[in-house]
């Protein structure tokens, strides 16, 4: 397990599903930027319900593909949105962009895409 990815789980899923799993991971990685923009927009509008839902979705999809660090950061954003804590939400959102980039790079480097 790396700091970013649960490589044990990723390797097991890749061995079981092969190219189908790679397709899932590629789709996941391709939508990350759009999801971040949606969360930033919800935060700007102070739409805490939408932000919480989007963060929850990112947490789940990240967990499903073994992107554990990104899932953890999304959980922090989900909690901040649940509490309508603007400062915590801003900090969690600021940490997401570089983490998305690092996660995408790690998935590529690991041969999961």
């Amino acid at each position: 397990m790396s700091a970013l990815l649960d490589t044990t789980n990723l390797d097991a899923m890749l061995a079981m599903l092969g190219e189908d799993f790679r397709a899932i991971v590629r789709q996941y990685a391709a939508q990350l930027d759009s999801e971040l923009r949606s969360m930033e927009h919800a935060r700007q509008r102070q739409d805490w319900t939408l932000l919480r839902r989007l963060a929850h979705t990112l947490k789940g999809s990240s967990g499903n593909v073994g992107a554990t660090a990104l899932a953890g950061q999304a959980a922090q954003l989900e909690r901040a949105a649940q509490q309508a804590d603007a400062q915590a939400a801003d900090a969690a959102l600021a940490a997401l962009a570089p983490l998305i980039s690092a996660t995408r790079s790690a998935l590529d480097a690991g041969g999961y895409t």
Side-chain angles (χ1 to χ4, degrees):
M1 187 151 138
S2 76
L4 293 171
L5 304 175
D6 178 354
T7 54
T8 301
N9 184 49
L10 282 162
D11 290 341
M13 294 298 291
L14 185 57
M16 186 174 15
L17 299 174
E19 279 305 311
D20 289 340
F21 183 67
R22 282 192 175 99
I24 291 167
V25 173
R26 281 192 301 270
Q27 181 179 2
Y28 161 80
Q31 69 189 23
L32 289 173
D33 292 331
S34 174
E35 289 182 13
L36 178 60
R37 284 190 301 276
S38 294
M39 288 184 282
E40 290 169 339
H41 187 66
R43 168 58 191 101
Q44 289 168 356
R45 293 186 354 237
Q46 294 187 22
D47 187 339
W48 300 112
T49 301
L50 178 59
L51 182 57
R52 183 185 55 77
R53 185 179 59 78
L54 292 169
H56 180 80
T57 300
L58 178 60
K59 178 181 73 174
S61 63
S62 297
N64 287 340
V65 299
T68 52
L70 196 50
Q73 189 63 38
Q76 289 182 18
L77 179 57
E78 182 182 19
R79 283 189 296 277
Q82 179 70 34
Q83 298 168 359
D85 184 336
Q87 186 174 6
D90 290 343
L93 275 169
L96 276 178
L99 192 54
I100 285 171
S101 178
T103 298
R104 189 180 289 119
S105 294
L107 287 167
D108 288 343
Y112 302 112
T113 57

